[in-house]
Amino acid sequence: MSSAPDRTAAAPRIAIVGATGAVGTTMLEIIEERALRHSELHLVASSRSAGRKISFAGREYEVQAIEEFDFGQADIAFFSAGTTVSEKWVPVATAAGAVVIDNTIAFRMDPDTPLVVPQVNAHELDRRPKSGVIANPNCSTIPLARLLRGIEDRWGIRNAVVSTYQAASGLGYSGVEELQESTRASLQGPDADFEPHHFKPALAFNVIPKIDRFLDSGFTLEEEKMLRETRKILGLPHLDVTTTCVRVPVANCHSESVYVECQSPVDRAELVDVLAALPEVRVHDRETISAFPTPAEVGSSDLVHVGRIRATQNNPRAFWLWLVADNLRIGAALNAVQIAEELIERDTL
């Protein structure tokens, strides 16, 4: 265990790096909603956002430039400003004594950094991490891992095949704005003046079977993330998970179509009960088999929503399900805040 200074006598001091972005803004909302215990709050962003005023819990806070912020003022530092920022500044924060909860790919596969979904592997937070960093998983990995944990515990998993339908907000405010702009341009006709930046081809009235860069294998980095992260979170290094990640013209909430083959036969009624018993999961087709969640219906939610649960007709060990989760909350900000709650509860700062 690290010889970090004892800060248990007081509520932790918190810094949010990327406080003006979509995840940072959502994180502030969740910290206020859940009354996360803290003694100080520091909002940090790039120099472009420095000086901006943000209201939180009846007070006004001024955003500080990351280049000027003293991380010695923070016990917990949330990072959600992009991989490049994390790679440069997380070591500065940990050297100053902060525990970092990082929402980028920068440290997820580092063996000294736990990759945590509190409903799945909160035991990883029983001690301060050797690296000083706790990684927040990918926004599509988090809800999937939460469901697979219960399935693995009951039946064992042989393999999973997943197709994701990921919203524009996966790229933050700029992604949603581009979807809106491309939709307006598409409705105006072929002569509209619009050049896509984030989504190529344009996302309006379209689906794009590519998220992040292509790898030599033909899979994308997003698809590779889901495989490697799911294995690490569940502690199943040889788990077979294959994924196709697709961007869809939805503002917020990622959806996933999931096929799972288990080690033993699965009864649908028992599967429904197992999923419904998982923490913060809502099964829509428990009473009415035709009920299912959609991004528009789910909206801003702190639950993983599940429907279309079907045992396959030709393989008694296999089934399909559909899940929808708010990627800004469950897939990023909420998971990070719940990690902080566990750290405070376990007194491992």
Side-chain angles (χ1 to χ4, degrees):
M1 179 176 290
S2 168
S3 58
D6 181 12
R7 302 185 180 104
T8 61
R13 302 164 298 167
I14 291 174
I16 300 177
V17 179
T20 59
V23 174
T25 300
T26 304
M27 195 174 294
L28 281 169
E29 295 171 359
I30 293 172
I31 288 173
E32 184 170 6
E33 291 168 4
R34 297 175 70 91
L36 179 68
R37 189 164 64 89
H38 63 279
S39 58
E40 298 177 18
L41 177 65
H42 302 278
L43 305 185
V44 183
S46 69
S47 56
R48 296 189 307 273
S49 298
R52 179 174 165 182
K53 302 292 177 57
I54 294 179
S55 295
F56 171 82
R59 285 185 56 190
E60 196 171 68
Y61 292 80
E62 182 173 317
V63 176
Q64 304 173 66
I66 191 169
E67 295 84 359
E68 300 174 3
F69 180 66
D70 174 12
F71 281 98
Q73 299 178 76
D75 303 312
I76 300 174
F78 295 97
F79 271 72
S80 190
T83 300
T84 301
V85 172
S86 288
E87 289 173 341
K88 179 177 180 179
W89 291 101
V90 164
V92 175
T94 56
V99 172
V100 169
I101 302 173
D102 184 62
N103 192 46
T104 75
I105 194 176
F107 304 96
R108 288 175 184 163
M109 303 314 298
D110 174 15
D112 292 329
T113 298
L115 182 65
V116 176
V117 178
Q119 296 85 351
V120 177
N121 60 340
H123 63 274
E124 296 281 359
L125 305 175
D126 286 341
R127 61 188 60 83
R128 186 183 176 100
K130 184 177 180 180
S131 66
V133 182
I134 300 154
N136 212 31
N138 179 272
C139 50
S140 291
T141 303
I142 290 171
L144 176 66
R146 285 173 55 172
L147 300 186
L148 292 183
R149 175 77 277 164
I151 295 163
E152 165 66 18
D153 289 346
R154 173 59 185 87
W155 293 283
I157 299 172
R158 296 185 65 177
N159 66 282
V161 180
V162 184
S163 294
T164 71
Y165 305 83
Q166 296 180 224
S169 60
L171 289 184
Y173 289 135
S174 60
V176 177
E177 290 169 359
E178 183 169 307
L179 172 60
Q180 294 169 340
E181 292 169 6
S182 66
T183 301
R184 284 191 290 267
S186 181
L187 290 172
Q188 290 169 5
D191 296 329
D193 183 17
F194 173 76
E195 181 66 30
H197 175 66
H198 293 296
F199 308 121
K200 295 181 180 181
L203 187 56
F205 304 104
N206 200 9
V207 296
I208 304 172
K210 171 193 172 292
I211 298 177
D212 217 313
R213 60 183 172 86
F214 277 106
L215 306 175
D216 291 341
S217 63
F219 286 86
T220 65
L221 181 57
E222 185 83 353
E223 293 157 354
E224 182 70 13
K225 289 178 200 172
M226 291 190 68
L227 167 64
R228 297 171 66 193
E229 292 177 21
T230 301
R231 286 175 168 178
K232 184 174 180 179
I233 294 163
L234 296 177
L236 299 171
H238 304 295
L239 180 64
D240 182 9
V241 178
T242 188
T243 311
T244 300
C245 292
V246 182
R247 190 74 69 186
V248 296
V250 169
N252 193 49
C253 291
H254 291 351
S255 304
E256 302 180 29
S257 173
V258 183
Y259 171 87
V260 180
E261 184 176 2
C262 295
Q263 302 286 358
S264 57
V266 179
D267 175 74
R268 182 191 182 276
E270 184 181 4
L271 173 60
V272 168
D273 288 341
V274 166
L275 294 173
L278 295 174
E280 300 160 53
V281 171
R282 180 187 171 192
V283 177
H284 286 241
D285 53 350
R286 188 172 193 179
E287 286 80 26
T288 305
I289 202 166
S290 59
F292 54 83
T294 68
E297 176 191 13
V298 166
S300 179
S301 173
D302 290 345
L303 301 176
V304 177
H305 295 260
V306 183
R308 300 299 319 277
I309 300 172
R310 294 150 285 154
T312 61
Q313 297 174 329
N314 59 344
N315 184 349
R317 298 175 306 187
F319 63 88
W320 286 91
L321 62 79
W322 170 259
L323 74 84
V324 180
D326 184 333
N327 52 289
L328 291 180
R329 294 180 73 91
I330 286 176
L334 176 63
N335 197 78
V337 172
Q338 289 178 323
I339 289 172
E341 290 173 342
E342 294 287 345
L343 288 173
I344 295 168
E345 177 69 23
R346 285 168 163 75
D347 193 18
T348 51
L349 290 173

